[in-house]
Amino acid sequence: METQTTGQNLPRWVIPLVIGVVLLVGGALVFNALSPSRAEQNASTTPGSGGVPAYQPPTEGTPIDPPRAVKDFTLTNQAGEPMSLSDLRGKPVLIYFGYTFCPDICPTTLADMARVQQNLGDRGDDVAYVMVSVDGERDTPEVLNKYMANFGEGFIGLTGPDAEIRKITPDYGVYFQKNEVGGTSAAYLVDHSAAMYLLNAEGELAMIYGYGIPADVVTADVQAMLERQATR
Amino acid sequence: MYAGYRVDLFLMPRIYHFLYEEECIMEKYIQAGYGVVTALLVLLISACGSTPAAAPSGPAIEVSAPWVRPAVMTGMSDMAMEDGEMAEGETMEGEMAEGETMEDMSHGGGGNSAAYMTLVNTGSAADAVVGASTDVANIVELHTTEMDANGVMMMRPLEQIDIPANGEVALQPGGIHVMLIDLTQDLEEGDTVNLTLELQSGGTLEVEAPVTQR
Ligand SMILES: [Cu+2]
């Protein structure tokens, strides 16, 4: 009986207290869990967190070794004159496939090309900077003329019929597709590969740069190419 | 702790009373336990309700670091209404060489740009940008650019730009943007673009975005 009374007396008032404390602590924990911390808030609203993994821009280009010959082509430049890739032989060529209705990726890439031109200083003019339009329907020479001048001096815009462009793009692995999309005033949008390509002075494909490549990385590659050219 | 002080006052007389009772029934303790628990919960809930750091109720949107990409009027017209003018299979070569399609197609100055910013919601309710307008473009749309694993970029219109409660959404190149279509003026570095954003919650936000090359 003794063990029973001591066993009864002490725990009797302890039990409600323990229950109370447990619930108090538990309640506090639940409250904390329901109000997300600063770190969690930031994590949940990071761009690209819509279920789609965010695109990771590359830190370096992909060399094509040995450089691969690409087909020559003739399109219309922004002056409305025919221009061939072979006209640019003797200079490294930075080439991009885009369209002027693209407000985002294309101007970013062309602005990066302009940065390469600036980085090269005196040698900036020893390189050709080209955008081939994948939207010949809207990108007339006049449109390209105004558009390209927005980026860099001597920047070349080339345009032509779809069928002609489709003969060129496989050499670069470029994909493009017009899409009529609802919810926009635009007649159509063009999905397209967003990479930039470096051709050497012989007109061979030497480097591929994914979208977002730092201009400094491209500059270093072009500089190295110009130096190799000089010692040849 | 504030709550602890109140608990002791509540608890002590009962403990005293129970200790001197000979044949105490377990139910009594349980009842007392429930009483304590109820009191604690009431305290806890009232404490939560009056938390001084509580966020304002409803959405509260702020715009940070807005900017607009420099762009020129290209003379290009890209409205859907021109679609019918182009017969299927019509050769583009002739048009291209002569560039004669523009005169009858052009509505504004053509060309386009995009506005970027971070939308911060300090409120406790979600909101969304459902529309936008500006003097510098005839058409303003909400778009997103997505890049697939093969490096193919796709631009798509968005019905709205969601801004989660106590969260933020970044509008940036290669992602969500406010697209300015058919510019009414060239946008040069140093210019300022005034943009009005319509919010789902009913209000509007006036944004002054500098034109800068990033
Ligand atoms: Cu867009």
Side-chain angles (χ1 to χ4, degrees), chain A:
Chain A
M1 281 316 264
E2 233 183 74
T3 42
Q4 228 184 16
T5 39
T6 47
Q8 266 174 4
N9 276 345
L10 257 175
R12 274 176 190 176
W13 61 270
V14 167
I15 289 168
L17 185 67
V18 167
I19 293 174
V21 168
V22 164
L23 272 157
L24 186 68
V25 172
L29 286 176
V30 168
F31 177 65
N32 272 341
L34 288 179
S35 51
S37 72
R38 199 86 198 127
E40 280 166 342
Q41 278 174 30
N42 290 340
S44 65
T45 54
T46 306
S49 67
V52 184
Y55 172 79
Q56 290 295 320
T59 52
E60 53 186 33
T62 307
I64 308 294
D65 199 17
R68 194 170 67 214
V70 291
K71 276 192 296 290
D72 193 19
F73 58 79
T74 304
L75 294 168
T76 306
N77 69 12
Q78 71 262 51
E81 293 158 355
M83 186 182 244
S84 303
L85 181 64
S86 51
D87 295 345
L88 303 170
R89 212 51 55 87
K91 281 182 175 185
V93 179
L94 277 171
I95 190 165
Y96 179 72
F97 296 81
Y99 71 126
T100 72
F101 192 75
C102 158
D104 201 52
I105 302 283
C106 306
T108 301
T109 304
L110 290 172
D112 284 342
M113 266 196 201
R115 242 167 240 138
V116 173
Q117 188 186 35
Q118 283 158 22
N119 287 348
L120 289 171
D122 289 349
R123 304 220 65 184
D125 291 342
D126 296 342
V127 178
Y129 309 88
V130 179
M131 181 176 92
V132 175
S133 174
V134 291
D135 184 10
E137 194 175 321
R138 288 184 296 205
D139 287 344
T140 62
E142 290 79 1
V143 167
L144 280 178
N145 191 28
K146 291 185 178 127
Y147 186 79
M148 298 309 290
N150 190 30
F151 294 100
E153 215 170 297
F155 272 39
I156 297 164
L158 296 176
T159 187
D162 230 63
E164 285 302 311
I165 307 297
R166 293 227 174 260
K167 289 180 195 164
I168 301 163
T169 47
D171 279 353
Y172 303 81
V174 165
Y175 165 93
F176 70 104
Q177 183 61 52
K178 280 182 192 176
N179 279 302
E180 286 181 27
V181 178
T184 174
S185 65
Y188 57 88
L189 300 171
V190 188
D191 300 349
H192 64 91
S193 303
M196 179 161 63
Y197 307 86
L198 176 61
L199 309 183
N200 62 22
E202 288 78 46
E204 298 165 326
L205 179 59
M207 296 290 290
I208 301 176
Y209 300 104
Y211 169 73
I213 186 85
D216 290 351
V217 173
V218 181
T219 306
D221 290 349
V222 173
Q223 252 159 353
M225 186 177 273
L226 286 169
E227 274 156 32
R228 277 199 304 273
Q229 236 171 272
T231 57
R232 207 163 279 173

Side-chain angles (χ1 to χ4, degrees), chain A residues 103, chain B residues 143 145 155 177 179:
Chain B
H143 284 185
T145 301
M155 183 164 74
H177 54 271
M179 183 143 170

Side-chain angles (χ1 to χ4, degrees), chain B residues 43-127:
Chain B
L43 267 173
L44 195 69
I45 288 161
S46 63
C48 294
S50 63
T51 304
S57 61
I61 311 298
E62 286 162 25
V63 173
S64 89
W67 62 284
V68 169
R69 183 189 298 290
V72 292
M73 295 189 286
T74 58
M76 186 232 273
S77 176
D78 34 42
M79 293 342 111
M81 58 185 92
E82 87 188 33
D83 210 18
E85 296 177 22
M86 263 292 208
E88 287 283 321
E90 189 180 342
T91 55
M92 274 175 279
E93 245 167 332
E95 293 170 10
M96 203 70 62
E98 286 144 38
E100 57 183 29
T101 50
M102 292 193 324
E103 284 87 350
D104 53 318
M105 282 183 182
S106 196
H107 305 95
N112 59 68
S113 182
Y116 306 94
M117 68 200 76
T118 300
L119 295 163
V120 183
N121 188 352
T122 57
S124 59
D127 204 346

